[in-house]
Amino acid sequence: MNNSKLPKRLTKEPIIDAIFEIRFDSSTPIASVLPGLFFSELKDIKGFERLPQAEIPEKLRKDDPLLQYLPIIKLNWMDYNILIGDRNLAIAANLPYKGWNNFKEAIKKILSIVKKSNLIQKIERYSTKYIDIVENDAETTSKAANIIIKMGPKDMLDSQFHLKTEYLEREFINVVQIISNATITLPNGSTKTGLIIDIDTIRIGFDLLSAESQLLEKSLDDIHLVSKETFFNSLTVDGISNLGPVYE
């Protein structure tokens, strides 16, 4: 599906998680310094939380690849949570999701503060992660998911499955997981059942902090577009129709 055919918005929002992340290498104890900087630069920070993984000794976190990118500090800021780790910084959107333009402005604000601080010399990678649920209580998965799964002659699409794939899409690495008939509990306690589409879109080797304003804008829009195209390409016409697409 090309960009001109993508819906401008959906009347039934499928997004249950949206995160933007940068990863970097720094000799500065970022998680100790950045919270104070954000408190001084940002308005409306409503809370500060030291996460449980902060109790893991710093040396152990640095030496273990599985722990290096765990956030240890969380700041609640307007419609977002700022997550700070030893080698990463993420911005997670609260629900209900306010849309890409709002999210992008929050990302740019955080990046401008980080750039001005000179605490991080170079970003190694940046990424977006969107998790969506397409409810299909009244329909089978095969009517919503634009994929083919077979075992020999048997069509497995309406069976329970968890599919994961990784591939290159332009300059991005796209990691896509699709889970059928999943039930999730939202922060407000309500539940949804349907098709989970988890899209992690990554660009390695491009330093957003050194990008001029126009290139930064384009780089953020490009990664969002790849993620958006992937989501809609994962759905059939019926699957998209269930979300109430608006094209104008």
Side-chain angles (χ1 to χ4, degrees):
M1 181 179 292
N2 62 48
N3 188 26
S4 63
K5 294 182 179 180
L6 294 175
K8 298 297 182 184
R9 61 184 178 88
L10 300 171
T11 55
K12 189 176 182 180
E13 180 59 71
I15 293 173
I16 56 174
D17 204 3
I19 301 174
F20 173 86
E21 183 195 46
I22 58 173
R23 294 186 179 183
F24 47 81
D25 194 9
S26 176
S27 58
T28 304
I30 293 296
S32 301
V33 180
L34 274 184
L37 182 63
F38 286 139
F39 268 104
S40 66
E41 293 283 343
L42 296 173
K43 297 179 181 179
D44 300 323
I45 292 184
K46 300 173 184 177
F48 171 97
E49 183 180 350
R50 187 173 171 86
L51 299 173
Q53 49 265 31
E55 304 308 317
I56 301 172
E58 182 179 355
K59 185 178 186 310
L60 182 58
R61 292 200 308 266
K62 286 183 176 180
D63 292 343
D64 189 335
L66 297 177
L67 302 177
Q68 287 178 356
Y69 300 107
L70 286 178
I72 58 178
I73 300 294
K74 180 171 78 172
L75 305 178
N76 184 249
W77 170 56
M78 299 195 302
D79 297 315
Y80 301 94
N81 288 315
I82 303 171
L83 304 169
I84 307 168
D86 297 312
R87 296 184 57 189
N88 66 316
L89 171 66
I91 309 165
N94 295 327
L95 297 179
Y97 180 63
K98 297 297 189 297
W100 170 243
N101 287 335
N102 187 294
F103 193 17
K104 181 172 64 174
E105 290 307 310
I107 293 168
K108 288 162 59 179
K109 178 66 176 177
I110 295 301
L111 290 177
S112 70
I113 293 172
V114 171
K115 182 175 182 177
K116 186 169 65 173
S117 74
N118 290 319
L119 292 171
I120 299 171
Q121 281 67 52
K122 185 178 180 180
I123 293 175
E124 296 176 346
R125 56 167 267 183
Y126 67 98
S127 65
T128 60
K129 183 178 180 67
Y130 280 90
I131 302 177
D132 299 82
I133 185 165
V134 180
E135 294 182 277
N136 57 345
D137 296 331
E139 294 189 330
T140 58
T141 300
S142 60
K143 291 184 179 179
N146 186 28
I147 57 177
I148 297 171
I149 304 177
K150 285 191 173 184
M151 182 178 292
K154 185 173 177 58
D155 191 337
M156 306 297 291
L157 192 54
D158 287 326
S159 303
Q160 187 73 29
F161 66 84
H162 183 164
L163 174 69
K164 181 177 180 180
T165 184
E166 178 177 324
Y167 60 94
L168 290 176
E169 182 67 33
R170 300 194 281 278
E171 63 266 41
F172 300 98
I173 299 170
N174 232 14
V175 183
V176 182
Q177 297 186 72
I178 301 179
I179 306 169
S180 65
N181 303 318
T183 298
I184 57 98
T185 302
L186 300 178
N188 63 8
S190 65
T191 61
K192 288 186 176 184
T193 299
L195 185 73
I196 294 284
I197 302 177
D198 179 329
I199 302 168
D200 198 357
T201 307
I202 304 160
R203 186 173 184 183
I204 297 173
F206 181 84
D207 185 11
L208 282 179
L209 291 185
S210 65
E212 297 297 328
S213 177
Q214 188 173 3
L215 181 57
L216 172 62
E217 185 92 10
K218 182 179 184 304
S219 300
L220 293 175
D221 283 336
D222 283 350
I223 195 171
H224 176 255
L225 179 59
V226 168
S227 180
K228 185 176 181 179
E229 288 175 342
T230 303
F231 172 70
F232 284 108
N233 286 336
S234 301
L235 296 175
T236 62
V237 172
D238 285 343
I240 296 172
S241 179
N242 285 345
L243 298 173
V246 176
Y247 291 92
E248 295 180 340

